[in-house]
Amino acid sequence: MKIALSFSLLLFFIFSFCRSNAQIDSSLLKISSQDSAKAGLTMDAIYERPFLKLGKLPVSIGGYVESNWQYVSHSGTTVGHQFQFRRFSLFVASTIAKRIKFLSEIEYENDPQGDPDQASAGGEFEMEYAALDIELHPLLNLRGGIIVNPIGAFNQNHDGPKWEFTDRPIAMTQMLPGTWNNTGFGIYGKQYINDWMFGYEFYLTGGFNDLIIDNPEGKTFLPAAKSNTGRFTSSASGEPLYSGKISVRNEKIGELGLSFMSDVYNTWQVQGTTIDNKRKVNVFDIDFNTKIPKLNTNIVTEWAWVNVQVPPNYSEQYAQKQFGGFIDVVQPIVSGKILGWENATLNIALRGEYVDWNVGHFQSTGKRMYNELWSVMPAISFRPTPQTVLRFNYRHQMQRDITGNTIGDNIGSTAGFSLGLSTYF
Amino acid sequence: MKKKTTIVMSAMIVGASIFAACSKLLPSAIDPQNGLSSPVDLSNAQNVLFAHGNDVFFANRTAANGLGPYFVAISCGSCHASDNRGHPFTMLTRFGQSDTTGNKFLNKGGPQLQNNNLPGYLPQQMPPGATSSRFIAPITAGSGFLEAVPDSAILAMAASNANNADGVRGHPNYNSIPSYITPFANAIPRGDGKYICRFGRKASTYNLVQQVASAYNHDMGITSSYMPFNPYNYLDQTLPALPSSPEVSDDDFNAVVFYVQCLQTPIQRNANDPTVQHGNQVFNQIGCETCHKQALTTGYSPIDALSYQTFSPFTDLLVHDMGAGLDDGYTEGNALTTEWRTAPLWGLGLAPGVQGGTYYLMHDGRARSIEQAIQMHGGEAATSAGRFNNLSNEDKSALLTFLKSL
């Protein structure tokens, strides 16, 4: 009953907010897209954002914000109502010359769901992206600076307003490092042929460090490397992280992306003296998205495989292999003029997720290791405009520890509700 | 347009209200009978300390906060999942003592072989000539009650075996205690200054302070105020490291001790089931209860909830000769290599839930079922094991049902 009352009050305030009048003259600001592609690939997501151009200034600005209410119960225990301001992101783009452009993104993030390290450290400001692009040919562009590595679809296409769920996909943020960025350089390009579009990206950047197998999570945890902010100036292994992606899109079928990362992650020498063997982390990812004609059903899915060379005689809690992903199905049920908004949409959606943080079998018993999670999340979302989303989610999640135990801290059955809003501005 | 608005408002408010009002969509609390992590009845202040201890107990250690360089597990909870028994993947190896004269391999890294190490360090190896035994982690829940059993009660249980017709004897494991341990006020030491110990597979550890200090040091390579030196590997040719400060703070250490002391005892399930009750009778009739004591009573404890409580651990805290089949050639304290502490049976039925759906019983998990474990009993328990084998199928089934209810 308390939950229902609280939820109704929240709903009232949010609707009040949504119906309030704008307080600035929006005619001074012109929304523009930085990418002129007729239909971009997922890898273009960082550029396919609504930017505001002010007059004739060569600079465009934009950003997005995410905030939500959440009520979650873990095996009957709850910390009650939680009000979370997850992130505020500000991006600035500028055209330096005809085929030279610069984009930067600064983010305040406080994300207890997506990044446990950050949750314990509290909110922080981060330079998420700051890269210069020089076009030599449509199939050959140079990019350098702090870039978001092209692993999977979510890593580059993670803006809150694009999704119908308050929580980010678990596998893409707690198995892969969500919004994984590094300093580096690379090339990319695109080619269009009739209904087909082809794109590629390839970068050499800084990368992971030993934290991926030595962290408070007690499992192989690639996101742990995000807490190493020194990676923007110093590589732990002294070797580049190779990351790349190829994508193919057909206007009638959808887009398929294949991506990879490979890195020597450990500090294997100190002052020129070898202290350890080189150990690699490899990630392979496949993503697909499509829209079913007539029904307008959107389907987005991504699955990833992680392979880490773990030292011998190290705890089996740190896995050599991981696997996980998600599938989102979003169905618009009403669209058009709603509540006075000209281009509004009401969607129902469903997300299914699975992560196995420890693929393999115990050496001691030959039996399967678990450390797995699955989750189902139905949702209702309302978009008064394509750039703003109000979303209500229910999550049902089951998690087992490495031996398959379902009773204890952070494992077992979890369920909860969340109501959030996210918008570009 | 009005129709659309109505649909949208109705969908959002009705749908959301149904979701929000439906408590059935939220998971229910774990049945206390199936969980072991609840505290005894504590004051608010004690509950705060218990919660702190719970956090520290399950916190994973890293190299940066003290783990290693040689270790078995990365947290207390790695071995004692849900405060229950351990799994073979965190099994530890003890070595270096083959009689009651003490461990001869302390200068070779004894008494424990850490089977994991941080990158860059050599794996530990068994020194030539050392005997060893592998131990799987015991159940944690209820340990505070075992600690509060007075020495006099343990001695009385030993004395009661003097004329046992089945040949059950059993004796306390008298052992030297470290200088950082303060003996219990009601302790009854032996003339040679050794004390009755009760924790561990060989009952060689005095109390939970020593148990926690040893576990941090031997199992995780973490130093404390009580055990300030890291374990070392003689193959790496470095001296035992002495960190500048303890790698577990005194506050955290004390909270973990308090947490373990205050864990509730396992609750028997289906106690009123006639089959369970019949199995309990069979348990007593074939002599299991002689060692696996059904009722013990605590003495005074500074924690009210632990004082003068009668509880059912199914152990006598004594070490017994279990026969040649369980003789690994390794021992601790004044126990012989064939002697093992009577394992508490409480929580036995919950073990598969933390052992991957199967049983790993006895000191090294060699028994894969309760029946197999009973049949591995030799020495003083051979007569009872023989009676078990001769039981009718109905009685045998009832006994196993009873044991699974614990």
Side-chain angles (χ1 to χ4, degrees), chain A residues 7 313 317 335 394 405 407 417, chain B residues 4 16 19 25 78 82 117 356:
Chain A
F7 181 79
N313 306 304
Q317 283 188 243
S335 58
Y394 166 73
N405 182 26
I407 297 175
F417 303 94
Chain B
K4 281 184 181 175
F19 273 132
L25 289 172
S78 298
S82 296
N117 52 268

Side-chain angles (χ1 to χ4, degrees), chain A residues 233-254:
Chain A
T233 54
S234 173
S235 168
S237 67
E239 309 249 346
L241 180 156
Y242 302 92
S243 59
K245 182 173 186 179
I246 55 171
S247 292
V248 180
R249 180 183 188 86
N250 180 285
E251 292 300 321
K252 293 172 184 165
I253 301 171

Side-chain angles (χ1 to χ4, degrees), chain A residues 252-265:
Chain A
K252 293 172 184 165
I253 301 171
E255 176 186 346
L256 175 69
L258 302 173
S259 52
F260 77 97
M261 282 194 296
S262 182
D263 185 27
V264 173
Y265 66 87

